[in-house]
Amino acid sequence: QVQLAESGGGLVQAGGSLRLSCTASGPIFSISTMGWFRQTPGKQRELVAHITSSGSTNYADSVKGRFTISRDNAKNTWYLQMNSLQPEDTAVYYCNADLTTDWSQWKGYWGQGTQVTVSS
């Protein structure tokens, strides 16, 4: 079955950088939109950034200019480069992808989440 595996989370000081990676595996024919979301306790999961199959990107206002999303289609992998991290960026980060396994339908899949903690 399809699985999304994230890596790259951890603890960093304010002003530091981290790069998250997400790789999709399984019987995948195509991936359209790839994205990153984050969630803190008691709050709804929120969109951080997404990138379409054509390379168009969209960012939450709170991360514009600091985070960059990119994708490597050959590897079914996408990345989130996070610079100038702030304590308010602390959250569990989830990757997400809209993909098809048989061309008949597209479904959304989620990774298991990776913790990012920014200390002040």
Side-chain angles (χ1 to χ4, degrees):
Q1 67 272 24
V2 174
Q3 291 186 325
L4 272 57
E6 298 144 342
S7 61
L11 173 65
V12 66
Q13 288 188 332
S17 298
L18 284 174
R19 189 175 84 151
L20 306 182
S21 300
C22 184
T23 299
S25 61
I28 299 168
F29 277 91
S30 182
I31 304 176
S32 60
T33 301
M34 299 169 169
W36 291 94
F37 290 71
R38 66 187 182 187
Q39 188 171 23
T40 54
K43 292 189 177 181
Q44 286 190 328
R45 195 171 296 186
E46 63 174 2
L47 174 70
V48 176
H50 74 243
I51 183 167
T52 68
S53 56
S54 63
S56 296
T57 59
N58 184 51
Y59 296 92
D61 287 342
S62 59
V63 307
K64 283 180 181 177
R66 300 189 297 124
F67 292 9
T68 302
I69 189 170
S70 60
R71 61 191 284 170
D72 183 337
N73 292 326
K75 297 180 179 180
N76 283 345
T77 297
W78 56 111
Y79 308 93
L80 186 68
Q81 178 66 44
M82 304 185 293
N83 298 329
S84 301
L85 282 161
Q86 299 302 315
E88 52 266 35
D89 295 315
T90 295
V92 177
Y93 284 71
Y94 297 89
C95 63
N96 169 269
D98 291 326
L99 58 88
T100 182
T101 59
D102 59 7
W103 290 112
S104 66
Q105 60 178 348
W106 294 78
K107 291 177 60 178
Y109 291 82
W110 292 93
Q112 78 284 359
T114 186
Q115 178 69 46
V116 171
T117 302
V118 184
S119 63
S120 57

